[in-house]
Amino acid sequence: QGRLSITITLATAIGLLVFVTAGSVLGVGIWLAQKNTFSLLSTNADQAVDAAVRQIEQHLRPAEHQAQFIATRIEQGEVDPTDKESFGQLLTGALAAAPQIEAVMLIGRDLHAQTAGRDRENNLIALNDFDYSGDPTVRASMGAIGPGGNWGAPIWRDEFKKTYLNLAYPVMRAGKPFGAVVAVVSVEQLSSFVSTVATGHAGTRFILYGRDHVLAHPLLTGGYPDGSNEAPLPALSGFGDPVLAAIWQQEGHYELEQIELPEGTAGHVVQTDAAEYVYIYRNVSGFGPLPLMVGAYFQASDVGEEVKRMIMALIVGVVALLLSLIAAVFVGRRIARPIVRFSAATGRIRDLDISQVEELPGSIFRELNEQSNSFNAMLRALRWFELYVPRKIVESLIKRGSAEESLSDARQITVLFTDIVGFSSASEGMKAAEVAAFVNAHFSIVVECIEAEGGTVDKFIGDAVMAFW
């Protein structure tokens, strides 16, 4: 009474061991999986934007390099702009070296320009002269050129029905302003480039001019036919891509909390009627009066797939842990079962109920199997012992306990001897098995009568019984 059950103890101990071990591994694994999942999402998102930024810079920087190269050669007198042939070759070479440039030109102080323009339909480069003296846009752009060159605001050229980004680099001769070398990149080509970069990547890439106008987008690869001098770029509101148009929507807007973005990269989520979208973007300065916002958006479900896989891993891990606990309880019960059987069997032996004791089965565990074999050998010995030692004597000895209490002493007793009349003559004609069966049946009757009267069988002598009170 008050003792612990070995079955419960073993099952609980093994179960706790499995739970602590497997649970710790599972917990750490899920924690690391969560960190790695969101870290991977953050890294992938940032790398996508970072790759787009690098590609945009690689797309626009050549315009700066070519403009600076031409301006430097003019300033150093290595080329004479009045030499139409040699200067035309220089402009043509600049376009050939940078396929993304739409046109390159030298605009003098009188706003006359020598131009090399790309004819993409016929894959040709044409040399032309233009007079921009009556163009207020060009005049304003020339007046805003900085000493180290700068990108101007997007401008619409009605004669080409296109919007352009232009880089103007000042040219000095003899310490005096001579003009400017201008390299032009069309928005159409920039959009085609963004679409090419986006190929093979999840989401849609875009470039905003400031926050409210679309500079480059896959929908603009065919140009912007609705452009004008007043609106060279499409406004974000009402743009043909409703998802991009909703980027600054306040309703359903919330910040990214689980994805940690690197410094310089920002992002948020917008819930629209159609779905939930994640926007990742980064400001890039130096390509115009307003910064360019290079970014991408994709459905939150794309992120959700990664999270779902992580949750599935968690569910599988929990199921595996529960199965491990069940297996631990099962193993604990299997280990404890032979011990419980052994305990019950020894209890019956203690009560001298040997006839009701069954031999213990073997076990897959070596120690428990040896215990069963030893117990079964003892049980067989006790059964033989039971045949020759009266049960009353054994019970009396067990009740006395110690050997000192079993020392002989003087008692007044009554002794009974029984015998079967004519047994010797009768047994001569019987087989050995018949004799044994006859004698055992006789002894059973006599012993039952003796014990019913409180007597003790002392021994069996052939066909005789000796008992005492």
Side-chain angles (χ1 to χ4, degrees):
Q1 298 295 330
R3 304 286 183 174
L4 295 176
S5 168
I6 190 171
T7 302
I8 297 176
T9 302
L10 277 175
T12 303
I14 297 177
L16 284 176
L17 180 61
V18 171
F19 179 79
V20 172
T21 304
S24 299
V25 173
L26 176 62
V28 172
I30 292 299
W31 179 75
L32 289 176
Q34 181 183 13
K35 294 284 289 183
N36 291 339
T37 297
F38 288 115
S39 176
L40 180 62
L41 291 173
S42 171
T43 301
N44 288 344
D46 183 67
Q47 286 179 347
V49 174
D50 190 55
V53 170
R54 289 198 306 270
Q55 293 292 346
I56 293 302
E57 290 182 343
Q58 291 173 10
H59 186 68
L60 296 180
R61 292 300 181 195
E64 298 179 355
H65 299 157
Q66 293 301 325
Q68 184 180 9
F69 173 73
I70 295 172
T72 300
R73 295 199 64 184
I74 295 173
E75 290 177 345
Q76 294 177 353
E78 296 179 8
V79 63
D80 184 4
T82 61
D83 185 347
K84 299 292 185 179
E85 182 177 355
S86 62
F87 191 69
Q89 291 177 352
L90 177 62
L91 295 181
T92 302
L95 283 186
Q100 59 269 51
I101 300 177
E102 191 79 8
V104 63
M105 64 190 74
L106 171 65
I107 302 178
R109 294 188 64 190
D110 58 357
L111 299 185
H112 283 75
Q114 300 179 53
T115 304
R118 194 184 302 276
D119 183 356
R120 295 191 181 275
E121 292 184 1
N122 299 312
N123 195 25
L124 298 174
I125 296 177
L127 297 174
N128 293 288
D129 291 334
F130 291 98
D131 182 5
Y132 292 116
S133 58
D135 191 321
T137 302
V138 175
R139 185 179 298 276
S141 298
M142 292 293 291
I145 299 175
N150 57 270
W151 287 87
I155 59 174
W156 170 262
R157 302 306 300 178
D158 197 58
E159 63 268 31
F160 301 111
K161 300 299 181 183
K162 288 184 179 181
T163 300
Y164 295 94
L165 284 177
N166 60 90
L167 181 281
Y169 200 92
V171 179
M172 305 292 291
R173 296 193 76 176
K176 296 180 180 180
F178 180 78
V181 177
V182 178
V184 178
V185 179
S186 75
V187 171
E188 178 181 340
Q189 286 301 115
L190 194 59
S191 294
S192 298
F193 179 73
V194 170
S195 300
T196 303
V197 172
T199 302
H201 297 275
T204 301
R205 304 294 188 272
F206 59 85
I207 303 176
L208 300 183
Y209 182 68
R211 287 171 56 95
D212 302 322
H213 292 83
V214 183
L215 178 65
H217 187 278
L219 293 179
L220 296 178
T221 53
Y224 178 47
D226 298 330
S228 64
N229 292 329
E230 294 75 21
L233 295 175
L236 185 61
S237 59
F239 185 62
D241 183 350
V243 178
L244 181 59
I247 185 172
W248 309 125
Q249 174 182 305
Q250 291 302 313
E251 184 180 356
H253 175 285
Y254 60 92
E255 299 300 323
L256 289 172
E257 297 179 352
Q258 293 177 306
I259 300 179
E260 183 179 352
L261 297 173
E263 185 177 356
T265 301
H268 63 270
V269 180
V270 172
Q271 176 70 52
T272 66
D273 295 336
E276 195 174 53
Y277 291 91
V278 179
Y279 300 86
I280 306 294
Y281 42 86
R282 183 187 304 173
N283 283 332
V284 180
S285 300
F287 295 104
L290 298 179
L292 305 185
M293 183 174 289
V294 181
Y297 70 80
F298 48 90
Q299 283 196 32
S301 58
D302 295 339
V303 179
E305 290 300 321
E306 300 289 339
V307 178
K308 286 179 182 178
R309 283 194 285 270
M310 184 186 68
I311 293 175
M312 182 58 66
L314 173 62
I315 293 174
V316 172
V318 171
V319 171
L321 178 59
L322 292 177
L323 292 177
S324 299
L325 290 175
I326 294 173
V329 173
F330 176 76
V331 171
R333 290 175 63 86
R334 287 295 300 272
I335 294 175
R337 188 180 301 168
I339 300 175
V340 173
R341 288 175 178 170
F342 178 78
S343 177
T346 54
R348 292 191 182 95
I349 291 177
R350 177 198 60 203
D351 298 334
L352 297 179
D353 194 10
I354 298 176
S355 61
Q356 301 298 320
V357 179
E358 297 181 356
E359 291 191 358
L360 298 179
S363 174
I364 60 174
F365 300 106
R366 182 177 58 194
E367 292 80 0
L368 295 178
N369 190 64
E370 291 177 355
Q371 173 185 277
S372 298
N373 292 337
S374 299
F375 177 84
N376 292 338
M378 179 193 70
L379 180 61
R380 288 189 288 269
L382 287 175
R383 283 173 176 167
W384 283 107
F385 181 73
E386 186 182 33
L387 294 175
Y388 299 102
V389 178
R391 179 170 178 171
K392 285 280 186 177
I393 294 177
V394 177
E395 288 180 349
S396 178
L397 293 174
I398 291 175
K399 289 178 181 180
R400 291 184 182 183
S402 63
E404 288 78 6
E405 296 181 2
S406 300
L407 298 175
S408 301
D409 58 354
R411 295 285 184 90
Q412 193 172 30
I413 65 173
T414 299
V415 180
L416 168 68
F417 292 92
T418 69
D419 192 27
I420 300 175
V421 177
F423 174 74
S424 298
S425 300
S427 62
E428 289 178 357
M430 301 170 65
K431 295 180 179 180
E434 294 174 343
V435 174
F438 175 74
V439 173
N440 287 338
H442 169 71
F443 285 164
S444 296
I445 297 173
V446 174
V447 170
E448 185 177 352
C449 293
I450 294 172
E451 290 183 347
E453 297 298 329
T456 299
V457 177
D458 180 69
K459 63 175 68 71
F460 301 107
I461 310 168
D463 61 331
V465 177
M466 176 182 175
F468 63 86
W469 284 260

